[in-house]
């Protein structure tokens, strides 16, 4: 039996790139399968770098509300906060006793931090590395293995971590016999979503278009999308146009053809941006209403997450009990 599981680290505002790269394909997958699906907010992973209480709790609610507002069906998908499921952390310790330290030395987030330290000329390459960051992949393995997840949708940068989970499970099984299910990463295959400056939309490039923001700010951002300086009447190439690339993700086939024709006969960039803005407004209107509703009732939102955690714990408890028996502590 297939179990699909993924985790979202609550960092920053959910943006169009997240929507097209993770939320939309994630919901499509969850809603189109009979398999069990779980989605959680990885707030304890976020604690490795976010040490402001109000920021962490706000970011967690923001991400949960975003997924719910975009249509996550709580009857089909169990949604919970990682920190509400203590079984995961017990398993994390157990798994750390089967994780070669060398695996963690090779983990890319840790290696990236070390190379930044090197570039900055720091003598201590571990400067600014806490044990949470170093052990990040062990906790992520526990997230996955605690639920016998088989399919783990992730961005490319996280595939290495899912491979670690697989290797750690294999080491455990080699010692105790088949106990843990080996997961595999599922890459969405979503092509690159361009941001305001045409590079991949990413928080680190500061070129994102947030899903949930004031209409005025939203329009202002769309108007900032980088274009060339061709005059309005000049024919425009739909290739390499951020405006066109974004528009076609949300418009119907005939709308796309219409805009293509308009590009070819000459369209002013201001007008093209307005067309994109109106399409996005129309598409996201119901999501925004739902989002605002959820964010203005944090108690309700917390209730949804707690009830998800209850369901998740019902799945985790018997599995952890068995694991403890298998290793000789239960
Ligand atoms: N590390 C993932 C990220 O930064 C988030 C995450 C935590 C996750 N635990 C997970 C993803 C388990 C998939 C499965 O995006």
């Amino acid at each position: 039996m297939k179990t699909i599981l993924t985790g979202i680290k609550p960092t920053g505002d959910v943006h169009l790139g997240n929507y097209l790269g993770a939320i939309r394909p994630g919901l499509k997958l969850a809603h189109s399968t009979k398999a069990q699906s779980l989605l959680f907010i990885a707030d304890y992973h976020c604690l490795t770098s976010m040490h402001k209480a109000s920021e962490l709790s706000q970011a967690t609610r923001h991400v949960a509300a975003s997924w719910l507002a975009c249509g996550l069906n709580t009857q089909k998908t169990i949604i919970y906060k990682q920190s509400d499921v203590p079984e995961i952390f017990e398993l994390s310790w157990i798994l750390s006793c089967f994780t070669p330290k060398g695996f963690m030395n090779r983990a890319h987030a840790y290696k990236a931090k070390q190379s930044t330290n090197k570039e900055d000329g720091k003598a201590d390459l571990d400067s600014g590395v806490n044990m949470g960051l170093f052990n990040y992949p062990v906790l992520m393995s526990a997230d996955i293995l605690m639920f016998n997840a088989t399919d783990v949708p992730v961005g490319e940068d996280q595939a290495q971590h899912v491979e670690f989970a697989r290797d750690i499970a294999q080491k455990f099984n080699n010692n105790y016999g088949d106990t843990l299910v080996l997961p595999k990463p599922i890459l969405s295959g979503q092509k690159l979503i361009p941001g305001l400056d045409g590079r991949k939309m990413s928080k680190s490039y500061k070129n994102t278009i947030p899903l949930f923001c004031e209409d005025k700010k939203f329009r202002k951002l769309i108007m900032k999308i980088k274009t060339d300086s061709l005059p309005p009447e000049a024919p425009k190439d739909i290739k390499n146009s951020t405006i066109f690339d974004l528009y076609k993700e949300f418009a119907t086939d005939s709308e796309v053809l219409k805009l293509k024709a308009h590009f070819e006969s000459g369209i002013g960039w201001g007008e093209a941006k307005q067309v994109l803005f109106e399409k996005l407004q129309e598409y996201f209107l119901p999501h925004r209403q739902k989002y605002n509703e959820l964010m203005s009732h944090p108690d309700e939102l917390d209730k949804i997450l707690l009830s998800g955690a209850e369901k998740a714990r019902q799945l985790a408890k018997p599995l952890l009990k068995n694991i403890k028996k298998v290793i000789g502590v239960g």
Side-chain angles (χ1 to χ4, degrees):
M1 178 68 177
K2 216 156 98 159
T3 296
I4 304 167
L5 172 143
T6 199
I8 319 291
K9 206 168 140 190
T11 49
D13 285 344
V14 172
H15 56 70
L16 274 181
N18 300 137
Y19 181 77
L20 293 170
I23 301 181
R24 193 161 76 175
L27 293 179
K28 195 167 158 213
L29 181 67
H31 294 160
S32 66
T33 169
K34 286 205 173 63
Q36 165 97 260
S37 76
L38 300 106
L39 182 122
F40 68 95
I41 320 299
D43 53 350
Y44 268 170
H45 271 120
C46 202
L47 187 64
T48 60
S49 58
M50 193 181 279
H51 292 171
K52 233 183 173 177
S54 58
E55 247 174 59
L56 182 55
S57 63
Q58 180 65 15
T60 302
R61 285 201 182 106
H62 165 69
V63 172
S66 299
W67 279 79
L68 289 163
C70 290
L72 183 133
N73 175 353
T74 53
Q75 301 301 317
K76 284 224 69 177
T77 300
I78 303 179
I79 179 171
Y80 55 97
K81 239 165 51 177
Q82 180 188 35
S83 60
D84 282 336
V85 182
E87 288 76 14
I88 295 169
F89 306 95
E90 199 169 336
L91 180 60
S92 183
W93 173 259
I94 298 172
L95 295 178
S96 73
C97 301
F98 292 85
T99 306
K101 177 171 172 285
F103 278 14
M104 301 299 100
N105 290 340
R106 291 199 291 282
H108 68 76
Y110 173 60
K111 273 177 48 184
K113 182 76 193 164
Q114 283 205 318
S115 53
T116 320
N117 282 338
K118 199 169 177 183
E119 277 162 27
D120 294 348
K122 295 209 172 123
D124 178 9
L125 293 187
D126 281 342
S127 171
V129 176
N130 60 45
M131 285 305 292
L133 172 67
F134 189 68
N135 286 330
Y136 188 105
V138 180
L139 180 54
M140 184 157 159
S141 299
D143 293 329
I144 297 169
L145 301 175
M146 188 70 271
F147 297 96
N148 283 345
T150 53
D151 296 47
V152 184
V154 280
E156 251 170 69
D157 63 323
Q158 296 296 316
Q160 183 201 35
H161 293 155
V162 183
E163 297 296 345
F164 281 150
R166 197 181 169 86
D167 291 346
I168 294 167
Q170 188 68 69
K171 284 188 184 297
F172 186 99
N173 289 352
N174 285 347
N175 194 70
Y176 298 109
D178 273 350
T179 310
L180 303 171
V181 171
L182 307 189
K184 61 175 187 301
I186 307 288
L187 301 177
S188 80
Q190 174 74 42
K191 56 209 164 318
L192 186 139
I193 312 298
L196 294 175
D197 57 0
R199 291 186 293 174
K200 177 186 156 121
M201 193 181 291
S202 156
K203 205 182 126 203
S204 43
Y205 293 148
K206 298 192 170 51
N207 64 357
T208 62
I209 305 174
L211 277 200
F212 304 106
C213 71
E214 297 284 304
D215 293 355
K216 243 174 131 180
K217 183 178 164 206
F218 191 68
R219 184 164 186 281
K220 223 171 139 184
L221 280 171
I222 302 287
M223 293 297 154
K224 267 174 122 174
I225 291 176
K226 199 169 142 194
T227 55
D228 56 33
S229 48
L230 287 174
E233 63 283 3
K236 308 287 185 307
D237 194 356
I238 57 165
K239 271 195 232 113
N240 305 321
S241 163
T242 302
I243 301 171
F244 194 83
D245 280 348
L246 291 176
Y247 184 78
K248 73 177 184 317
E249 293 290 342
F250 300 98
T252 63
D253 290 351
S254 68
E255 286 170 331
V256 172
L257 283 177
K258 212 170 128 201
L259 187 64
K260 181 170 177 269
H262 204 158
F263 262 60
E264 283 160 359
S265 66
I267 185 172
W269 287 128
E271 190 183 347
K273 288 173 182 178
Q274 181 65 24
V275 171
L276 172 63
F277 167 70
E278 282 168 17
K279 174 60 34 199
L280 292 173
Q281 285 292 85
E282 172 196 321
Y283 186 94
F284 285 110
L285 184 70
H287 303 80
R288 292 210 177 118
Q289 279 168 349
K290 183 91 212 275
Y291 174 83
N292 291 335
E293 213 177 286
L294 287 161
M295 288 304 275
S296 55
H297 297 96
D299 293 352
E300 294 292 314
L301 183 55
D302 291 351
K303 236 193 248 164
I304 296 176
L305 293 175
L306 267 180
S307 116
E310 256 326 296
K311 290 187 207 163
R313 294 191 71 187
Q314 290 320 312
L315 297 174
K317 277 179 191 166
L319 294 177
L320 182 63
K321 193 165 179 222
N322 181 48
I323 292 168
K324 288 173 77 168
K325 204 172 103 214
V326 164
I327 61 175
V329 303

